[in-house]
Amino acid sequence: MKLSLTTAILSVAAASAFAQTTVQSCDRAVTFEAPPQAAVSNDINLTEMMLVLGLTDHMVGYTGVSGWNKLDETMRAGVAELPELSEQYPSKEVLIGADADFYFAGWNYGMRVGGEVTPETLAPFGIAVYELTESCIHVGQEGDKTASSMDDLYTDLRNLGAIFGVSDRAESLIAGYQADLATFLAELPPLPDAPRVFVYDSGEDAPFTAGRYAMPNALIAAAGGVNILDDLDKSWTTVGWEAVVDANPEIIVIVNYGEVTAAQKRDFMMNNPAFADLDAVKNDRFVVLEYVEATPGPRNILAVKTLAAAFRGN
């Protein structure tokens, strides 16, 4: 009883010290009167944003990680104290059953347009939603938005910092990431030309890949390359192999997750006669990014470094 009373007093004190804040979440302005106390995040990359901001004590769990075999040792240690409430996308009942008051997700990152879990369907149960910036293209007008950029990551960290009353922590983190990346890139030799890069996520009949609104487009640009589908007004999407062959990529970035390994994806491309004339295949230039590196999250910094080194033959 004493513990409950103390907790209540601390919660009231925290709420009184927290100025009301409003953040932009895709096409919605969302106002918070106090930091959420029972947050749930979906997917490994969004959950990692919560972890680097030190928000574990504001969380009651996470969802959508082990169902796609994305959990690595770093992440496993980070979420050791949190339950996975659902291996894939959570149902509305899962979030309500956890007494959640906040859901950090994105479109195709724990929510589907027209699905049962959306900001509108969760609002009546007191669950506020913040949507991943990269995913906003799915509820906006294609062509009206700029291509993905590293700012998408920084915007999400900054907004989460405001929502949870840890803006100083978020700004310090962002400044550290930006300085680290700038220093790393400044020490590399310049590239004579931006290499043409294809992102191979999955699929054999037709590849699932990244258009201009998906995070790899930003990672490739930050590293000095150009996505061969930079002119495609899509986020993560499926295209025909003809588009890949016509663009003749010099480097192929494999996104590693799920049941098909990165080595199997590389073998598929190396051993298929249709790809024999691609510069990337002829010169065996493949780079592997883990799923958590290729999607918006703290490990984007490492991903840019990996790509920048690979583009220079390191």
Side-chain angles (χ1 to χ4, degrees), residues 52-63:
V52 296
L53 286 168
L55 299 176
T56 307
D57 58 348
H58 288 262
M59 298 178 68
V60 293
Y62 64 93
T63 60

Side-chain angles (χ1 to χ4, degrees), residues 50-58 157 161 164-175:
M50 300 287 285
L51 297 183
V52 296
L53 286 168
L55 299 176
T56 307
D57 58 348
H58 288 262
L157 290 171
F164 286 90
V166 293
S167 287
D168 289 349
R169 200 180 301 166
E171 293 298 339
S172 175
L173 202 59
I174 293 166

Side-chain angles (χ1 to χ4, degrees), residues 133-156:
T133 296
E134 184 221 40
S135 76
C136 292
I137 190 63
H138 296 293
V139 290
Q141 293 294 317
E142 294 177 358
D144 291 344
K145 294 182 179 295
T146 57
S148 66
S149 78
M150 295 300 287
D151 283 342
D152 291 352
L153 166 65
Y154 304 141
T155 295
D156 288 330

Side-chain angles (χ1 to χ4, degrees), residues 61-245:
Y62 64 93
T63 60
V65 174
S66 60
W68 284 279
N69 191 27
K70 300 171 183 172
L71 199 60
D72 64 8
E73 288 308 312
T74 301
M75 191 66 186
R76 200 182 305 278
V79 297
E81 298 178 0
L82 294 171
E84 184 172 34
L85 303 173
S86 173
E87 291 185 353
Q88 299 193 359
Y89 285 14
S91 65
K92 192 167 60 179
E93 287 70 26
V94 164
L95 297 172
I96 295 169
D99 289 328
D101 62 0
F102 178 80
Y103 185 42
F104 178 28
W107 300 103
N108 297 343
Y109 290 90
M111 299 190 293
R112 294 186 178 89
V113 175
E116 72 152 334
V117 174
T118 69
E120 291 73 25
T121 62
L122 294 179
F125 302 96
I127 304 175
V129 175
Y130 176 69
E131 300 147 278
L132 183 74
T133 296
E134 184 221 40
S135 76
C136 292
I137 190 63
H138 296 293
V139 290
Q141 293 294 317
E142 294 177 358
D144 291 344
K145 294 182 179 295
T146 57
S148 66
S149 78
M150 295 300 287
D151 283 342
D152 291 352
L153 166 65
Y154 304 141
T155 295
D156 288 330
L157 290 171
R158 191 168 283 122
N159 283 339
L160 288 170
I163 292 168
F164 286 90
V166 293
S167 287
D168 289 349
R169 200 180 301 166
E171 293 298 339
S172 175
L173 202 59
I174 293 166
Y177 287 156
Q178 291 173 327
D180 179 28
L181 203 49
T183 300
F184 180 86
L185 293 174
E187 292 174 351
L188 295 177
L191 287 162
D193 297 294
R196 304 182 304 278
V197 183
F198 166 59
V199 177
Y200 183 27
D201 178 285
S202 57
E204 294 191 356
D205 292 338
F208 191 63
T209 183
R212 70 192 317 255
Y213 302 123
M215 199 64 196
N217 196 73
L219 305 178
I220 291 166
V226 59
N227 178 9
I228 61 168
L229 297 171
D230 176 64
D231 59 350
L232 181 62
D233 283 337
K234 296 289 183 183
S235 182
W236 294 94
T237 189
T238 299
V239 299
W241 282 115
E242 295 80 4
V244 179
V245 172

